[in-house]
Amino acid sequence: MDIERLAETESTLSITDRLWRAEMRKAFGPDGVLLHGFGAERQGAPGTRLRTAFEARRSAIAAWRHVRRPAA
């Protein structure tokens, strides 16, 4: 496992998660993540800041998972 790449992906995931959570609070209030974090609302409508944050977070999760996969 590439430790430096793992650290990079963890940092990116942390940042994108915070941005997404901030957009969820703006859209749905202080309990937005708790109330809507697993429903379709978490994605936001196309073209919104929430959708952009959701897609960035989704991409960061995928990159982090990829780095964590054991080498074949």
Side-chain angles (χ1 to χ4, degrees), residues 3-15:
I3 299 301
E4 288 182 24
R5 181 71 179 129
L6 179 61
E8 290 171 10
T9 60
E10 286 177 344
S11 177
T12 300
L13 177 52
S14 177
I15 292 166

Side-chain angles (χ1 to χ4, degrees), residues 3 11-12 17-18 28 30 37 41 47 50 53 55-56 58 65 70:
I3 299 301
S11 177
T12 300
D17 185 63
R18 281 194 309 265
F28 302 110
E41 300 91 348
L50 180 54
E55 292 297 336
R58 188 177 60 77
R65 285 181 176 159

Side-chain angles (χ1 to χ4, degrees), residues 24-39:
M24 288 291 287
R25 279 190 300 277
K26 288 178 189 174
F28 302 110
D31 292 330
V33 173
L34 180 64
L35 297 173
H36 304 289
F38 294 100

